[in-house]
Amino acid sequence: MATFLYRLGRFSFRKRHVVALFWVALLALAGAGAAGAPAAGNSSFSIPGTEAQKAFDLLDERFPGASADGATARVVFKAPDGQKMTDPGNKAAVQDTVDELSGGAEVTQVTNPYQGGGVSQDGTVAYASVTYEVPGMELEESSREALKAAAEDARDSGLTVEIGGDALQAVPETGSAEIIGIGVAAVVLVITLGSLLAAGLPLFTAIVGVGIGVATITALASTLDLGSTTSILASMIGLAVGIDYALFVVSRYRAELAEGREREEAAGRAVGTAGSAVVFAGLTVVIALVGLSVVNIPMLTKMGIAAAGTVAVAVLIALTLIPAVLGYAGRRVRPAGEKSKLLGGGRAKDKADKPNMGTRWASFVVRRPLAVLLLGVVGLGAAAVPAGSLELGLPDDGSQPTSTTQRRAYDLLSEGFGPGFNGPLVVVVDAQGSDDPQAVFQQAGDEIKALDNVVNVAPAAPNKAGDTATIAVIPDAKPSSAATEDLVHDIRAAGADIKDGTGAEVLVTGATAMNIDVSQKLNDALVPYLVLVVGLAFLLLIVVFRSILVPLKAALGFLLSVLAALGAVVAVYQWGWLSGLMGVEETGPIMSMMPIFMVGVVFGLAMDYEVFLVTRIREAHVHGEKPAQAVVTGFRYSARVVTAAAVIMIAVFSGFIGSSDSMVKMIGFGLAIAVLFDAFVVRMAIVPAVLALLGAKAWWLPKWMDRALPNVDVEGESLAAHAGTADKDDEDKELVRA
């Protein structure tokens, strides 16, 4: 592989016009497709194999035209102090609002609070439900404006009016913090590479890669039903790995220049060595992201595949566009150790051979490996303690900022009707095979009323055929509570008894039941996902490192870092530690998709650092250095760059904490803290400590396996065969110039 990539690097350097034109054309093509594509909405949220989804599909079949997936809005009214919603003036204002909303072009139904039991017992709060014929993200802007205008007209009468539901949902915004993250990345690159131009190359190529990836996702969003958060998460991951991969190639290029090689040869060797590490690091990220499909949640699968595609583009750009751009830069990209005059270059060095920070740190670790190992493991173990209290759920209006009308509507409904009113359960009774469907409907309602934690059970509402009915159930507790989850399980247990006695099927659905089923499905999928992803990456790393213990150490270190990161997420978003600093206005259960998505992404990124760091250590060991000295040598050449890469990733991910979307906000924090733990505790401390303790045993591989495994030559040993030819070419170029 090293030889192929070496030739690819030299080709890209020589034929830079062709390579640059290819990527510019690809970016233009993707941009044109994105410009002509309809805007992305929220991906349809289906959970195959769950009871809630089965009931939802049954509703579509048995209640045609009911717009089960249509947007909904709850217009909540509160009377002024000392008044009731049943007062004539307030009643007239609400009636005017209902009449105004009923005339909407996309409205299918508006319920009157005074006819459908929509007034609280104390008479201070009332609500009108509005149902639309299309999903929330497909609503015309005119429909949203009409909804807001109707609420504003009601406010003019003196009422407090807020709007809940998904009719006002908007595409999430990431905020200015993302720009700050890119700015931090730029500063780190300048410090690391000692040149404004060299620092600009990784940023430029990463932005090109993300541009291609996000534009492609935008162009295909409508066709493939990609949600609005898909492009945000793809840009988050693509930007981070794009900068890192480019940084590793540029750094190796400067190191090759420092050894006196000609620029084309240096580009070839940089791609042949660092590029090999980029390929395998990218493969581990892609495996982790594509592996999300085993969960069998379409939205999560699409997010993973879209992000994996962006990572693949980042790898290809690092292998081709980076050497091409280096060709354009020429002598303005200086050898390692030299800085531009603007940054202090040209000054005499105080100590030319002074050990760098990576050398000093590695020397310290190999002298005290056991102490460093124990300190790192105990520290991560302490950070992981809160993960034992992990509670999963999906965000609803109750997790919105208090400044939003959705959150204020949620609070008003809880105040007037109880916390469970915001999470009603929909029980679907399929009595198609029953002799007396009406009796089955009555029996189901009576048994649900007898359960604990039930506030209200509405009368059964059968369809036109009379063989299926829906029963609305209001729990006593809020939607995300354990009591509501227990109620869902109790209803399903009662439904099983009804099926045994009558043959009728009782199913529970609704947003609350769907959230519970999603959490359970993700919990059940976590172990198989870990086995698949870690297993495939373990085999890949055996091929890369030609060792059993090094990949095993990499996998165990990852588990430590991801558990510690989950602990930090629980501490902030569930327990409320530092919630004000992180912009968390409402603590509660952790988003159901967070653990498995974070496991996938962090595993891929953790293997990035493992590959980049340990391949340089193995390279020194293969060239004859003793194990302890190889660790020091590897850190001398790679610790600075790996540290810079980690800081860049942390900065980029932290930028997404400012997003208006709670899911993106939480994922941004989780990925940032996970990279912090993995890069600076696991890879920088635990890895060298373990390698120092293992010594030569770290590189042990059974002879039969050594013969069976392909030699991918990540260290670039085969490039020595090209040294003579390359050196002769360099001499000829010097003669021509002379």
PDB file of all heavy atoms in Angstrom, residues 216-229:
ATOM      1  N   THR A 216     -23.643  17.371  -1.158  1.00  0.00           N
ATOM      2  CA  THR A 216     -24.209  16.108  -1.662  1.00  0.00           C
ATOM      3  C   THR A 216     -25.381  15.657  -0.804  1.00  0.00           C
ATOM      4  O   THR A 216     -26.418  15.213  -1.316  1.00  0.00           O
ATOM      5  CB  THR A 216     -23.123  15.018  -1.693  1.00  0.00           C
ATOM      6  OG1 THR A 216     -22.032  15.462  -2.500  1.00  0.00           O
ATOM      7  CG2 THR A 216     -23.684  13.723  -2.261  1.00  0.00           C
ATOM      8  N   ILE A 217     -25.229  15.759   0.529  1.00  0.00           N
ATOM      9  CA  ILE A 217     -26.318  15.389   1.437  1.00  0.00           C
ATOM     10  C   ILE A 217     -27.536  16.277   1.190  1.00  0.00           C
ATOM     11  O   ILE A 217     -28.674  15.802   1.136  1.00  0.00           O
ATOM     12  CB  ILE A 217     -25.846  15.509   2.899  1.00  0.00           C
ATOM     13  CG1 ILE A 217     -24.818  14.419   3.210  1.00  0.00           C
ATOM     14  CG2 ILE A 217     -27.023  15.397   3.867  1.00  0.00           C
ATOM     15  CD1 ILE A 217     -24.121  14.592   4.534  1.00  0.00           C
ATOM     16  N   THR A 218     -27.303  17.575   1.014  1.00  0.00           N
ATOM     17  CA  THR A 218     -28.402  18.504   0.762  1.00  0.00           C
ATOM     18  C   THR A 218     -29.111  18.181  -0.550  1.00  0.00           C
ATOM     19  O   THR A 218     -30.341  18.229  -0.638  1.00  0.00           O
ATOM     20  CB  THR A 218     -27.871  19.952   0.723  1.00  0.00           C
ATOM     21  OG1 THR A 218     -27.191  20.235   1.951  1.00  0.00           O
ATOM     22  CG2 THR A 218     -29.002  20.950   0.533  1.00  0.00           C
ATOM     23  N   ALA A 219     -28.310  17.833  -1.575  1.00  0.00           N
ATOM     24  CA  ALA A 219     -28.897  17.509  -2.876  1.00  0.00           C
ATOM     25  C   ALA A 219     -29.761  16.252  -2.813  1.00  0.00           C
ATOM     26  O   ALA A 219     -30.764  16.141  -3.524  1.00  0.00           O
ATOM     27  CB  ALA A 219     -27.782  17.342  -3.913  1.00  0.00           C
ATOM     28  N   LEU A 220     -29.378  15.306  -1.959  1.00  0.00           N
ATOM     29  CA  LEU A 220     -30.090  14.029  -1.877  1.00  0.00           C
ATOM     30  C   LEU A 220     -31.082  13.972  -0.722  1.00  0.00           C
ATOM     31  O   LEU A 220     -31.730  12.944  -0.517  1.00  0.00           O
ATOM     32  CB  LEU A 220     -29.075  12.886  -1.725  1.00  0.00           C
ATOM     33  CG  LEU A 220     -28.069  12.703  -2.868  1.00  0.00           C
ATOM     34  CD1 LEU A 220     -27.069  11.611  -2.520  1.00  0.00           C
ATOM     35  CD2 LEU A 220     -28.793  12.366  -4.170  1.00  0.00           C
ATOM     36  N   ALA A 221     -31.181  15.060   0.060  1.00  0.00           N
ATOM     37  CA  ALA A 221     -31.984  15.037   1.283  1.00  0.00           C
ATOM     38  C   ALA A 221     -33.436  14.657   1.017  1.00  0.00           C
ATOM     39  O   ALA A 221     -34.012  13.820   1.714  1.00  0.00           O
ATOM     40  CB  ALA A 221     -31.913  16.398   1.979  1.00  0.00           C
ATOM     41  N   SER A 222     -34.039  15.268   0.018  1.00  0.00           N
ATOM     42  CA  SER A 222     -35.446  14.990  -0.269  1.00  0.00           C
ATOM     43  C   SER A 222     -35.633  13.580  -0.817  1.00  0.00           C
ATOM     44  O   SER A 222     -36.549  12.859  -0.421  1.00  0.00           O
ATOM     45  CB  SER A 222     -35.979  16.022  -1.267  1.00  0.00           C
ATOM     46  OG  SER A 222     -37.326  15.766  -1.571  1.00  0.00           O
ATOM     47  N   THR A 223     -34.723  13.164  -1.699  1.00  0.00           N
ATOM     48  CA  THR A 223     -34.840  11.836  -2.317  1.00  0.00           C
ATOM     49  C   THR A 223     -34.659  10.719  -1.301  1.00  0.00           C
ATOM     50  O   THR A 223     -35.397   9.727  -1.302  1.00  0.00           O
ATOM     51  CB  THR A 223     -33.792  11.678  -3.438  1.00  0.00           C
ATOM     52  OG1 THR A 223     -33.954  12.737  -4.376  1.00  0.00           O
ATOM     53  CG2 THR A 223     -33.938  10.340  -4.134  1.00  0.00           C
ATOM     54  N   LEU A 224     -33.670  10.867  -0.422  1.00  0.00           N
ATOM     55  CA  LEU A 224     -33.334   9.810   0.536  1.00  0.00           C
ATOM     56  C   LEU A 224     -33.959  10.031   1.903  1.00  0.00           C
ATOM     57  O   LEU A 224     -33.674   9.271   2.834  1.00  0.00           O
ATOM     58  CB  LEU A 224     -31.808   9.708   0.681  1.00  0.00           C
ATOM     59  CG  LEU A 224     -31.027   9.402  -0.604  1.00  0.00           C
ATOM     60  CD1 LEU A 224     -29.535   9.305  -0.307  1.00  0.00           C
ATOM     61  CD2 LEU A 224     -31.531   8.105  -1.239  1.00  0.00           C
ATOM     62  N   ASP A 225     -34.792  11.080   2.047  1.00  0.00           N
ATOM     63  CA  ASP A 225     -35.467  11.368   3.325  1.00  0.00           C
ATOM     64  C   ASP A 225     -34.441  11.567   4.440  1.00  0.00           C
ATOM     65  O   ASP A 225     -34.513  10.947   5.501  1.00  0.00           O
ATOM     66  CB  ASP A 225     -36.429  10.232   3.677  1.00  0.00           C
ATOM     67  CG  ASP A 225     -37.341  10.596   4.853  1.00  0.00           C
ATOM     68  OD1 ASP A 225     -37.580  11.798   5.059  1.00  0.00           O
ATOM     69  OD2 ASP A 225     -37.793   9.669   5.560  1.00  0.00           O
ATOM     70  N   LEU A 226     -33.461  12.447   4.182  1.00  0.00           N
ATOM     71  CA  LEU A 226     -32.436  12.743   5.178  1.00  0.00           C
ATOM     72  C   LEU A 226     -32.907  13.904   6.043  1.00  0.00           C
ATOM     73  O   LEU A 226     -33.393  14.906   5.538  1.00  0.00           O
ATOM     74  CB  LEU A 226     -31.112  13.108   4.499  1.00  0.00           C
ATOM     75  CG  LEU A 226     -30.521  12.038   3.579  1.00  0.00           C
ATOM     76  CD1 LEU A 226     -29.251  12.557   2.921  1.00  0.00           C
ATOM     77  CD2 LEU A 226     -30.236  10.758   4.349  1.00  0.00           C
ATOM     78  N   GLY A 227     -32.760  13.775   7.349  1.00  0.00           N
ATOM     79  CA  GLY A 227     -33.203  14.806   8.269  1.00  0.00           C
ATOM     80  C   GLY A 227     -32.307  16.026   8.248  1.00  0.00           C
ATOM     81  O   GLY A 227     -31.176  16.004   7.750  1.00  0.00           O
ATOM     82  N   SER A 228     -32.799  17.111   8.832  1.00  0.00           N
ATOM     83  CA  SER A 228     -32.054  18.367   8.833  1.00  0.00           C
ATOM     84  C   SER A 228     -30.784  18.277   9.673  1.00  0.00           C
ATOM     85  O   SER A 228     -29.827  19.011   9.437  1.00  0.00           O
ATOM     86  CB  SER A 228     -32.944  19.491   9.372  1.00  0.00           C
ATOM     87  OG  SER A 228     -33.444  19.156  10.665  1.00  0.00           O
ATOM     88  N   THR A 229     -30.759  17.379  10.674  1.00  0.00           N
ATOM     89  CA  THR A 229     -29.558  17.248  11.505  1.00  0.00           C
ATOM     90  C   THR A 229     -28.478  16.414  10.833  1.00  0.00           C
ATOM     91  O   THR A 229     -27.334  16.419  11.284  1.00  0.00           O
ATOM     92  CB  THR A 229     -29.905  16.603  12.856  1.00  0.00           C
ATOM     93  OG1 THR A 229     -30.541  15.342  12.623  1.00  0.00           O
ATOM     94  CG2 THR A 229     -30.833  17.486  13.667  1.00  0.00           C
TER      95      THR A 229
END
